[in-house]
């Protein structure tokens, strides 16, 4: 009775869902504190205090119709202006409110922009490993996701293969840095080279290719690492941002799109994205939280907590003989499985109450993703099991 | 550069958008207080005080990770259980949390359910006049909206024509009562007859036809009018509810779907709708407001304000010779235009700074929609212009 597309999409969702159910089952048997659920990217660091203060300030001083009512589908104009200013201050850009559309998180923003851009059969390129939901977001609008195979040396994009995979049907490229699942930040050199290739191919094919930058992890960068702001490198850049991780508000569904003036067909894209926001059923980003985040643009979560987890986990796993790249951002570690089959390795881990996501989900078999946005003691308690696990299979 | 579908959808959105821009332009020239904008269904009655109290209670007593974090894509289990109980108490139903999926407003819920159900070419029937967005929601999933022509006697659905328009491709029927744009409540007799026809046709074609009930106006019923609860009349009923109007929270995007156990293929539909909520980019209904509405299930806006507006407007327009049905619910009045062309009438009204939406937008030319969710004085001030308008054209 359900649609054919959904039947397929339900089937493809079964891995992570099964993991989720398994986690609940195991917690029921062994107690939550003895189950090590590294499968979910759900922040465990409190929102900064500015968030609660902002909520109180808005609801105590605002006019309730202005707080909870409809506004332009793109969001409150003053909120969009505040965001534009904040980006300009940080990155020396020159955006105005007319470049910003408030969205229901980054997931909402990406659906809005693909709805706006994609005709059936249009190709969207991404680099493995990649956030598995891109498959769905592109398929929602009958686009075709073209996957560039992973560079497992340093997990920077494989630009040689990228060049070959661009065709006259390439409408967009989607990248995600700091990256889920690797934690790698795409370097400035990567971005410059990637932009050169895109410009070359645009010229060769006489097309416009939009670079969509999915940036929920921008603020989670360790050791003061810089995350290049892409619109400064490539004209046809569109940015999807989210406050889910920067302010630990994933449930509130608040983010925005940046559509710079310089983007080809700017005016039509902005108009269409405004309408897409409405007709996809978002209508607008949640109103109270638009006002709240506008008061928290300089705040961010305390990433020292994630950093401690990162150090502990990386040091532990490396010392046991696991191969992995030390993450530069986000809260994921991508680890080579000591046996070839990543799904099988996840099943072995599950027997020790450790929940992981197989790399297959991210288009990169032979690896697992560990989401270390968990309590420190969980990592401490889990490490001996990771040790036992590698000893068992070696 | 934008997609072909969006080009079409942008074009079709131009009427109301043009009206919106025109309103801003006129307000700039004549002052906001001299422009009579009856074009938007934006509630003007304050949310009940319970809403602010609930926000304060949640953020002052809750754990911030539990308030703003991710949860199951269907929403918090305790919130869903509270909603099920509240519906059961009011309508003697027997729902549980497993029948409720929290959504980003009713618009989000309708997109989720159509994504779940529709294959390309599937037909969805609706009754004119109808909320124009249904065109988009159905088209988003390549369905075909089949329109039953209006019964302009009393604006109950035209069931004779309905019967003829059901085919083996009919996957769903969408209705909206209290109705936007007429304010009419579909009577119990209508619902019984409609259910009989659906059961008959399901049997004849060996298909399942889902009745989707779009209910943002359920709580806005005047004179204690009853709005039948549809799952009690027809087994394959799915309900899309929203708190946008009942609690005056349209900007917050909070609503839910009810998928009863008795619905054909219940288990698959519930699983698929959960995943559709995620992959369409909603991910989940905004988390704080899930908790807030759970504390406000017995509250509703003071509809006496809308009722006063209704009485004043209806009495005034009728006395000038306008033909209209007195609304039984919602905050819209649907008025026959004294000249045949409704778009032309709207243009004439605009010259008097009155903004209306032509019936054409709702599939019912020759009428206009007046949204009377405005300050009382605006109606008082506008009435003489309505009088002048009908005198001019008669």
């Amino acid at each position: 009775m359900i649609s054919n597309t959904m039947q397929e999409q339900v089937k493809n969702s079964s891995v992570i869902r099964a993991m989720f159910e398994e986690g609940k089952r195991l917690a029921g048997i062994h107690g939550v504190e003895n189950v090590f659920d590294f499968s979910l990217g759900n922040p465990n660091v409190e929102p900064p205090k500015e968030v609660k203060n902002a909520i109180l300030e808005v609801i105590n001083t605002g006019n309730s119709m202005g707080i909870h009512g409809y506004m332009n589908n793109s969001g409150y104009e003053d909120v969009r202006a505040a965001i534009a200013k904040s980006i300009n201050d940080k990155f020396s850009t020159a955006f105005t409110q007319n470049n910003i559309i408030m969205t229901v998180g980054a997931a909402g923003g990406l659906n809005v922009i693909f709805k706006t851009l994609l005709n059936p059969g249009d190709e969207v390129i991404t680099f493995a490993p990649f956030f598995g939901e891109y498959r769905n977001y592109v398929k929602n609008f009958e686009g075709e996701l073209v996957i560039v195979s992973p560079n497992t040396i340093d997990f920077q994009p494989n630009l040689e293969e990228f060049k070959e995979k661009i065709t006259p049907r390439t409408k967009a490229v989607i990248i995600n840095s700091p990256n889920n699942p690797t934690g790698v930040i795409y370097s400035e050199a990567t971005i410059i080279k990637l932009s050169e290739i895109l410009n070359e191919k645009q010229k060769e094919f006489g097309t416009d290719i939009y670079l969509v930058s999915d940036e929920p992890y921008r603020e989670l960068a360790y050791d003061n690492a810089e995350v290049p702001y892409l619109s400064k490198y490539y004209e046809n850049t569109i940015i999807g941002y989210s406050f889910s991780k920067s302010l630990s508000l994933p449930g509130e569904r608040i983010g925005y799109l940046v559509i710079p003036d310089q983007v080809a067909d700017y005016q039509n894209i902005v108009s269409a994205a405004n309408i897409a926001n409405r007709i996809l059923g978002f209508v607008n980003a949640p109103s109270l939280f638009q006002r709240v985040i506008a008061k928290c643009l300089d705040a961010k979560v305390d990433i020292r907590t994630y950093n401690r987890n990162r150090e502990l986990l990386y040091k532990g796993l490396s010392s046991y003989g696991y191969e992995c790249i030390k993450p530069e951002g986000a809260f994921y570690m991508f680890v080579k499985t000591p046996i070839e089959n990543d799904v099988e390795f996840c099943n072995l881990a599950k027997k020790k109450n450790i929940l992981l996501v197989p790399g297959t989900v991210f288009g990169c078999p032979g690896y697992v993703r560990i989401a270390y946005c968990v309590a420190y003691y969980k990592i401490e308690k889990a490490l001996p099991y990771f040790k036992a696990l590698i000893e068992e299979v070696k």
Side-chain angles (χ1 to χ4, degrees), chain A residues 109-392:
Chain A
L110 296 179
N111 273 280
V112 163
I113 206 64
F114 286 145
K115 164 88 175 159
T116 299
L117 294 176
L118 298 184
N119 282 314
D122 278 355
E123 292 167 358
V124 178
I125 301 181
T126 198
F127 299 94
F130 62 92
F131 181 41
E133 289 291 271
Y134 297 161
R135 291 191 189 91
N136 293 316
Y137 300 165
V138 170
K139 196 192 178 87
N140 283 343
F141 309 102
E142 294 171 89
E144 210 175 293
L145 189 68
V146 174
I147 298 166
V148 175
S149 56
N151 152 22
T152 55
I153 308 296
D154 59 6
F155 289 105
Q156 293 288 321
N158 179 340
L159 295 178
E160 286 311 306
E161 187 179 322
F162 174 56
K163 202 166 169 176
E164 285 159 25
K165 286 202 162 160
I166 302 174
T167 76
R169 304 225 62 162
T170 304
K171 190 64 176 275
V173 176
I174 179 162
I175 69 172
N176 171 222
S177 164
N179 182 261
N180 174 6
T182 65
V184 163
I185 296 174
Y186 291 0
S187 69
E188 187 177 33
T190 293
I191 300 303
I192 290 172
K193 182 82 186 122
L194 183 124
S195 305
E196 279 170 10
I197 294 170
L198 284 171
N199 280 322
E200 220 171 86
K201 289 292 179 179
Q202 285 193 141
K203 214 165 155 189
E204 179 182 342
F205 296 130
T207 55
D208 285 300
I209 305 174
Y210 295 94
L211 179 61
V212 178
S213 181
D214 176 23
E215 306 198 345
Y217 303 104
R218 166 168 287 282
E219 317 306 338
L220 305 192
Y222 305 108
D223 309 324
N224 298 313
E226 280 209 21
V227 184
Y229 206 78
L230 299 198
S231 65
K232 300 175 76 173
Y233 296 85
Y234 180 66
E235 285 205 341
N236 280 335
T237 294
I238 293 172
I239 291 156
Y241 186 89
S242 166
F243 295 92
S244 293
K245 276 79 182 191
S246 64
L247 297 177
S248 280
L249 300 172
E252 302 298 355
R253 315 308 306 132
I254 182 82
Y256 59 80
L257 287 169
V258 184
I259 305 175
D261 289 350
Q262 67 200 10
V263 154
D265 210 23
Y266 163 78
Q267 197 55 61
N268 283 325
I269 290 179
V270 160
S271 304
N274 177 289
I275 291 172
N277 215 2
R278 194 188 84 214
I279 67 187
L280 289 173
F282 302 111
V283 181
N284 55 253
S287 51
L288 171 63
F289 271 85
Q290 288 191 43
R291 298 227 168 273
V292 168
I293 58 89
K295 292 181 186 295
C296 301
L297 293 172
D298 293 323
K300 69 178 189 177
V301 293
D302 186 351
I303 68 166
R304 286 175 301 183
T305 309
Y306 296 134
N307 195 30
R308 279 179 74 211
N309 289 359
R310 175 180 78 130
E311 297 291 351
L312 178 66
L313 186 64
Y314 180 72
K315 204 174 135 193
L317 295 187
S318 304
S319 74
Y320 310 145
Y322 286 97
E323 276 179 51
C324 52
I325 293 270
K326 189 171 184 183
E328 302 164 275
F331 40 49
Y332 304 110
M333 203 170 289
F334 205 54
V335 181
K336 190 165 184 197
T337 50
I339 56 172
E340 209 181 313
N341 188 325
D342 52 321
V343 177
E344 201 186 314
F345 184 76
C346 287
N347 287 332
L348 291 174
K350 217 188 297 172
K351 289 193 183 141
K352 303 206 180 310
N353 293 342
I354 294 176
L355 302 179
L356 307 170
V357 180
T360 305
V361 169
F362 308 98
C364 187
Y367 287 78
V368 286
R369 187 190 75 174
I370 305 179
Y372 57 81
C373 42
V374 299
Y376 191 77
Y377 86 89
K378 288 262 185 173
I379 299 175
E380 285 181 314
K381 269 181 96 169
L383 278 174
Y385 295 103
F386 275 107
K387 185 158 185 269
L389 203 49
I390 195 168
E391 282 165 0
E392 239 171 73

